Amino acid sequence: MTFEEIYRQEWGQVVATLIRLTGDWQLAEECAQEAFAAALQRWPSDGVPDRPGAWLTTTARNRAIDWLRREAVGAAKLQEIAALGVDQQEQQEQQYDVPDDRLRLMFTCCHPALAMEARVALTLRTLAGLSTAEIARAFLVPETTMSKRLTRAKQKIQHAGIPYRVPPARLLPERTPAVLAVLYLLFNEGYSDVVRRQLTTEAIRLARLLRQLMPDEPEAAGLLALMLFHDARRETRLAPDGALVTLDDQDRARWDHAQIAEAVEVLDSALHRGHPGPYQIQAAIAACHATAAAPAETDWHQIAALYAQLPQTPVVALNRAVAIGMADGPAVGLRLVDELAAGELTGYYLLPATRADFLRRLGRRTEAAESYREALALATTEAERRYLEKRLQEVSVTA
Amino acid sequence: MKYLLMIAGDESAAAHANDGCGGWTEEMEARGVVAGGAGLRPPDEATTVRVRDGDVLLTDGPFAETKEQIGGFVLIDCADLDEAIEIAAKHPAAGYGTIEIRPVFEPPV
C-alpha cells in the first residue's frame, strides 16, 4: 500500500479516535496531521508497521498528551487519555460492541443542526482527509471562505453542544437520511465534473464504510449500489470532444462490469431485507440500465414501475414519463411530458430536451429542432450543450 | 449545557395564548432541566433600548420587524443539543410556531 492509500484509509479513524479522546476537533486534526508527518519521516527507513492505523493513532494520542501537558490544562482529561491505551480501547470496543468512532464522526459531521454546505465540507475534511484547499477547489470557493466555513462548523459543534455520538436507535430513522444525503451530494458533485472526480471516489469510499458500519441499514447499501452503478459508466459518459453521451449511445463493452456485478450483489442483499427506500429504488432503476446488454433490451416497463414508487417530485415525474414513453412509444411519452410542461420544471433543460427527443422519434423534425433550441438555451454544462447541438444538427440537416 | 428556548409564533399565536403547556411543564420539571422562563406580553408592549454616544435611545416596539414574535422563553440545562431539540420539539408551541434554541454563552474556564 502506498502512503497515499494508507492516508486515505486511516485518516478518518485517527481523527475520530482523537476527537473522542480529547473532545477537541482542532487538536485532534493537528495531532493526526503530525502523526502522518512523523510516519512519512520514519516509515521509509523503519518500514511500515504491521498495523499502520494503530501506530498512527498511538502517535497522535501521544502528541495530544504532550500538548495538553505543555498547556497544563485539564489534569483529569490528561489522565483519562493516558489511561485509555489505544489497544485497550480497541479491546473494549470489541467487547462492548461500541460503534466505530468513524460512524460517530459521520453522524456528528452530518448533524441536521449544521447547514448542508458545512456538513459536506466537514465530512470531506475530517472523514476523508481532504485538505481545505482541495475542498475549496472542488466547490469553487476561495480557500479562505472554505476555511471560515469549517471553523464555524467546528465552533457550532462545540458551542451548541452537538453530541459526538451515533444517535440513539429512536433517532436513527430521522438522522440517517442526512448522512446519506451528504454522501450522495458529494458523489453528484464529483460525477458532474471530470475535474472533481476525487469527490466521487471519496463518496464511494465513505458509502462503503457506512455500509460496513451500519450493516442493518438497507438504504446505506442502496446508496452504495446506486453510486457503483453510475460510476461503472463513467468512462463512456463523455465523447472525446467533451459532448455528453446518452445511455443509448454509450459503449457498453467499456462499462466496468466487475463493478456492476458488485453493485447488483450489494443491491440484492439490501432488497432481501424487505425495506425498500428511495436509494434502493433508484439503484434498482440504475440496475435495469446497467444490466441490459443492449439499449433495446432495457426493461422500460420495470423502470416506469420503479419510478412510480419514488416520492413524486417533478423530476421523478419527468423520468417516469420518459420510461413510459420508451415502453409504450414516443406518442404516449410526448403526451405525458406535455402534461408536465407547466409549473415547477420551468427552466429545467431536460424538459424541452426530452420533448425534443420524443418529437424526433415521431419524425416531427421542425418541432424537435425548436425544442432542442429551447433546451440549448437552458443547458448549464458544456457537455450538455454539445450533445444538444449535435442533435439539433441532425434534425436540421434532414428536415 | 444551558440553552435558551425562544418560543415564537406569528399573529395567530394569540389563539393559543390560553392553551397551557399540557404535560410539558410537569415532565420537564420532573426531569430537572428547566432553569427558568416565562411567557411574554405581546411585542407592541415592548420597549427597545440602545445607548449611542452616551445617550439612551428608546424605541417603541420590538427590535426587529418580523412576522414571528417571541412569545416566551425557557432556560434549560441539559446534556447536549440533541436533548435540547427533544425538549423543544415536545413543547406545544413547536406545533404552530417556531422555537429557536440558542446556547447560552459560557465564558471559558
Side-chain angles (χ1 to χ4, degrees):
Chain A
M1 235 194 298
T2 66
F3 186 79
E4 176 72 17
E5 283 166 339
I6 295 176
Y7 175 83
R8 290 279 177 238
Q9 193 174 306
E10 303 293 345
W11 169 269
Q13 179 67 61
V14 177
V15 172
T17 307
L18 264 286
I19 291 175
R20 176 165 53 75
L21 293 175
T22 66
D24 183 330
W25 286 57
Q26 202 60 42
L27 180 64
E29 264 192 49
E30 276 162 24
C31 294
Q33 231 149 18
E34 284 181 27
F36 279 96
L40 202 52
Q41 239 175 18
R42 296 267 301 278
W43 293 357
S45 51
D46 295 5
V48 177
D50 289 343
R51 293 161 64 222
W55 189 98
L56 288 160
T57 309
T58 307
T59 308
R61 186 186 58 119
N62 290 339
R63 298 286 158 124
I65 292 172
D66 284 349
W67 188 87
L68 290 168
R69 199 171 277 149
R70 258 201 322 276
E71 297 298 307
V73 285
K77 184 95 227 165
L78 197 60
Q79 273 177 354
E80 200 181 304
I81 300 171
L84 270 180
V86 172
D87 286 335
Q88 184 195 344
Q89 151 217 330
E90 277 176 6
Q91 271 174 11
Q92 269 182 359
E93 293 192 355
Q94 276 159 10
Q95 222 172 331
Y96 301 113
D97 197 25
V98 174
D100 189 288
D101 279 338
R102 285 169 298 177
L103 193 55
R104 243 187 270 244
L105 186 53
M106 217 181 273
F107 272 96
T108 308
C109 289
C110 300
H111 197 284
L114 293 168
M116 195 57 169
E117 54 184 26
R119 290 185 221 167
V120 171
L122 260 189
T123 303
L124 283 175
R125 178 72 200 114
T126 56
L127 268 152
L130 264 63
S131 71
T132 308
E134 285 174 310
I135 306 169
R137 226 175 8 254
F139 288 93
L140 311 170
V141 298
E143 193 178 338
T144 48
T145 306
M146 190 48 78
S147 170
K148 274 185 206 143
R149 196 178 286 175
L150 281 163
T151 306
R152 260 202 309 271
K154 286 180 207 161
Q155 273 174 357
K156 176 154 185 191
I157 289 172
Q158 196 189 335
H159 294 153
I162 292 178
Y164 182 57
R165 62 145 189 253
V166 181
R170 71 190 155 77
L171 285 180
L172 274 180
E174 65 183 65
R175 294 288 167 83
T176 308
V179 173
L180 298 173
V182 166
L183 297 188
Y184 197 36
L185 181 71
L186 270 184
F187 179 83
N188 283 321
E189 287 287 342
Y191 198 57
S192 61
D193 189 327
V194 201
V195 188
R196 301 192 278 167
R197 266 306 306 280
Q198 189 183 13
L199 295 181
T200 313
T201 315
E202 290 306 333
I204 291 178
R205 216 173 51 77
L206 292 170
R208 271 189 211 284
L209 177 64
L210 185 65
R211 184 196 176 217
Q212 183 196 325
L213 297 173
M214 298 185 81
D216 294 328
E217 175 49 76
E219 280 290 87
L223 177 63
L224 174 62
L226 177 60
M227 290 178 180
L228 290 173
F229 279 126
H230 283 322
D231 185 63
R233 296 193 275 102
R234 67 179 177 271
E235 300 298 340
T236 61
R237 288 178 66 240
L238 293 179
D241 69 351
L244 195 73
V245 181
T246 55
L247 262 170
D248 268 13
D249 297 328
Q250 287 175 13
D251 177 359
R252 288 174 191 235
R254 284 171 59 221
W255 287 356
D256 185 338
H257 292 280
Q259 191 168 313
I260 291 172
E262 186 198 348
V264 168
E265 210 179 289
V266 172
L267 177 61
D268 280 350
S269 74
L271 289 171
H272 265 110
R273 293 179 163 265
H275 295 287
Y279 290 109
Q280 291 170 79
I281 294 167
Q282 289 178 78
I285 292 168
C288 289
H289 291 299
T291 57
E297 286 173 40
T298 309
D299 187 347
W300 287 107
H301 286 286
Q302 171 76 2
I303 292 173
L306 287 165
Y307 272 119
Q309 288 181 49
L310 286 172
Q312 294 300 301
T313 64
V315 173
V316 167
L318 177 62
N319 285 325
R320 189 165 161 244
V322 171
I324 295 173
M326 296 303 287
D328 298 340
V332 180
L334 185 63
R335 189 168 48 76
L336 288 171
V337 169
D338 282 341
E339 279 168 20
L340 291 172
E344 289 181 67
L345 286 170
T346 308
Y348 183 53
Y349 93 95
L350 278 175
L351 183 67
T354 304
R355 214 174 162 268
D357 272 334
F358 282 136
L359 287 165
R360 180 175 57 83
R361 281 169 209 264
L362 288 167
R364 289 158 64 176
R365 292 169 191 281
T366 320
E367 289 162 273
E370 203 176 299
S371 283
Y372 279 126
R373 270 187 218 104
E374 202 184 315
L376 255 171
L378 296 171
T380 51
T381 72
E382 191 53 33
E384 290 161 3
R385 268 192 290 275
R386 292 202 178 187
Y387 165 78
L388 291 166
E389 270 159 15
K390 234 180 233 177
R391 286 296 199 203
L392 178 59
Q393 259 172 16
E394 279 170 30
V395 289
S396 305
V397 166
T398 42
Chain B
M1 298 271 314
K2 283 199 178 71
Y3 300 92
L4 180 67
L5 304 186
M6 291 187 271
I7 297 157
D10 54 21
E11 292 83 354
S12 75
H16 298 278
N18 297 313
D19 285 4
C21 284
W24 188 87
T25 311
E26 290 71 19
E27 180 187 335
M28 296 314 153
E29 272 168 7
R31 276 163 63 170
V33 291
V34 176
L40 300 177
R41 301 283 310 161
D44 58 13
E45 294 174 25
T47 304
T48 306
V49 180
R50 293 179 187 83
V51 178
R52 299 288 182 272
D53 299 324
D55 292 333
V56 177
L57 308 172
L58 295 185
T59 324
D60 171 42
F63 63 88
E65 285 294 330
T66 56
K67 204 159 164 272
E68 278 85 23
Q69 300 161 355
I70 296 179
F73 65 93
V74 189
L75 187 64
I76 58 171
D77 191 351
C78 61
D80 53 38
L81 185 64
D82 281 353
E83 192 182 0
I85 291 171
E86 183 245 331
I87 291 168
K90 273 188 177 165
H91 194 284
Y96 56 87
T98 52
I99 300 182
E100 179 177 331
I101 303 171
R102 196 76 83 74
V104 170
F105 184 80
E106 287 179 87
V109 263

